[in-house]
Amino acid sequence: MNEGVEWGMHTCVNLSWMPGEALPAKKLAAFYELPTAYLNKQLQALTRAGILSSTSGPKGGFQLARPTDRITLLDIVVAIDGPDEAFRCTEILKAGPGADPREDYRTTCLISQAMRQAELVYRRELAARTIADIVADVERQFPRSPESTRAWFANLKS
Amino acid sequence: MNEGVEWGMHTCVNLSWMPGEALPAKKLAAFYELPTAYLNKQLQALTRAGILSSTSGPKGGFQLARPTDRITLLDIVVAIDGPDEAFRCTEILKAGPGADPREDYRTTCLISQAMRQAELVYRRELAARTIADIVADVERQFPRSPESTRAWFANLKS
DNA sequence: GTAGTACTACTCGGATAGTGATTGTCCGAGTATCAATGG
DNA sequence: CCATTGATACTCGGACAATCACTATCCGAGTAGTACTAC
């Protein structure tokens, strides 16, 4: 899985503590000492997916495009890592003896079905967890996080 | 995910219909018109994992090393695709402000926990399905499969 | 006729190239701010 | 003093390399069978 997924999730959590303010990729990258340009690339993907909104120019940057309770972990995974499933059925049964070339073995093949079922529960789990849930858990476990994060960004020399 | 996972699963199903007989990679590959040497590589991985047993020389080949009800889909995935999870926590929190370098953020970070939880249900689903289950489903839906598969391997010109 | 032996053919196993995706970097298009200028 | 305009600095956005894993292939080590030879 793309490493940017992790970066995107942490960045969304940080952005949730800076509502209404656009943070440039440079500052967001500095927070975790990440390569700025590469993080920018990932944030672009989140923007294309409608998760973030971007503004150019001075005072520009990224901010959340919708409430955190409407951003699921699956949204971020799909936006950055792509919509394809890990297991892709290449329909090798079509090359086997007694195969019907017209049949769609991605739905017929029982192995493909079993793998799809597993990925289904995986995605269902990710879709059930929103950034709001994560933020709430973090604030419960580390109550100082929002305040200290805001302070860090404020004190960051531009 | 490695394409060999699909090949390995289908091959295990086919091997379940040829009990006690060792089939060489060449024949197993011919069944689905797969590249022989590359399939051989995947079967080596299954052998290292103790899922298959291999025999060299004439009349040699691969066969199942244990009963089909003790081979789960997860076993095959782990053997071929590796034991690593898709989402790997790189602990970027360690580079963040106010981080404790001693802490293991793979277990502390709530995002990492959420992703691990999703992969857990994924693996649980795969671990609950054995090759025996798949074989039983196939035989129920396509009763002629075992017989026709045995016939195909028997009629294959060596 | 039978036992021993050398040969042959076949298989797995790991070491070796080729290819595509992920990772990382760079520069250009666009925009808001700021300063300077003229009324 | 205030409005306008031009320059400037900063940001995103997409185009351009480098690295790594997956894909694919090949040849050597080992083994079982077979045929031949000698007794």
Side-chain angles (χ1 to χ4, degrees):
Chain A
M1 176 175 289
N2 196 318
E3 189 177 2
V5 171
E6 184 185 11
W7 302 359
M9 289 180 181
H10 280 278
T11 298
C12 283
V13 170
N14 280 345
L15 284 174
S16 78
W17 290 325
M18 310 291 280
E21 187 175 350
L23 288 180
K26 190 175 181 180
K27 293 186 181 180
L28 291 169
F31 194 88
Y32 295 120
E33 299 176 7
L34 301 175
T36 301
Y38 193 30
L39 175 65
N40 189 18
K41 190 183 183 70
Q42 314 294 347
L43 299 182
Q44 286 175 30
L46 292 178
T47 303
R48 274 192 297 270
I51 296 170
L52 300 183
S53 66
S54 63
T55 313
S56 277
K59 290 285 182 180
F62 296 92
Q63 54 186 319
L64 296 176
R66 54 177 192 254
T68 53
D69 60 358
R70 286 181 51 217
I71 302 174
T72 70
L73 296 189
L74 181 62
D75 290 335
I76 298 178
V77 169
V78 168
I80 293 182
D81 207 50
D84 295 347
E85 301 190 1
F87 180 89
R88 62 207 147 111
C89 176
T90 61
E91 301 186 77
I92 65 176
L93 286 176
K94 270 189 179 167
D100 182 357
R102 297 168 163 273
E103 201 157 356
D104 182 8
Y105 286 100
R106 285 170 301 182
T107 61
T108 308
C109 171
L110 292 166
I111 288 174
S112 178
Q113 285 182 29
M115 296 302 290
R116 289 178 88 86
Q117 173 65 19
E119 298 221 6
L120 186 64
V121 300
Y122 171 73
R123 290 167 110 87
R124 205 191 303 275
E125 192 80 12
L126 289 184
R129 260 199 138 69
T130 67
I131 292 294
D133 297 332
I134 300 289
V135 169
D137 289 347
V138 172
E139 293 182 355
R140 187 178 312 121
Q141 198 159 341
F142 308 99
R144 289 168 169 267
S145 285
E147 181 60 26
S148 66
T149 299
R150 270 190 287 268
W152 191 91
F153 279 120
N155 294 346
L156 181 61
K157 59 184 177 301
S158 60
Chain B
M1 175 174 292
N2 195 317
E3 190 177 2
V5 171
E6 184 184 10
W7 302 359
M9 289 181 181
H10 280 279
T11 299
C12 282
V13 170
N14 279 345
L15 285 174
S16 78
W17 290 325
M18 310 292 282
E21 184 175 352
L23 287 180
K26 189 176 181 179
K27 291 186 180 179
L28 292 168
F31 194 87
Y32 295 119
E33 299 176 5
L34 300 175
T36 301
Y38 192 31
L39 176 65
N40 189 19
K41 189 181 183 67
Q42 315 294 348
L43 300 182
Q44 286 175 32
L46 292 177
T47 303
R48 275 193 295 271
I51 296 171
L52 300 183
S53 66
S54 62
T55 314
S56 277
K59 289 285 182 181
F62 297 91
Q63 54 186 318
L64 295 176
R66 54 178 191 255
T68 53
D69 61 357
R70 285 182 50 217
I71 301 173
T72 71
L73 297 189
L74 182 61
D75 291 334
I76 297 178
V77 169
V78 169
I80 294 181
D81 207 50
D84 295 345
E85 301 191 0
F87 180 89
R88 61 208 147 110
C89 177
T90 60
E91 301 186 76
I92 66 175
L93 287 177
K94 270 188 182 168
D100 183 358
R102 297 169 163 273
E103 199 157 357
D104 182 7
Y105 287 100
R106 285 170 298 182
T107 60
T108 308
C109 170
L110 292 165
I111 288 174
S112 178
Q113 285 182 29
M115 295 303 289
R116 288 178 88 86
Q117 172 65 18
E119 297 220 5
L120 186 65
V121 299
Y122 171 73
R123 290 166 111 87
R124 204 192 303 275
E125 190 80 12
L126 289 184
R129 263 204 135 66
T130 67
I131 292 294
D133 298 331
I134 299 288
V135 169
D137 289 347
V138 172
E139 292 182 354
R140 189 178 311 120
Q141 199 159 340
F142 308 97
R144 290 168 168 266
S145 287
E147 180 61 28
S148 66
T149 300
R150 272 190 285 269
W152 191 90
F153 278 118
N155 293 345
L156 182 61
K157 57 186 176 303
S158 62

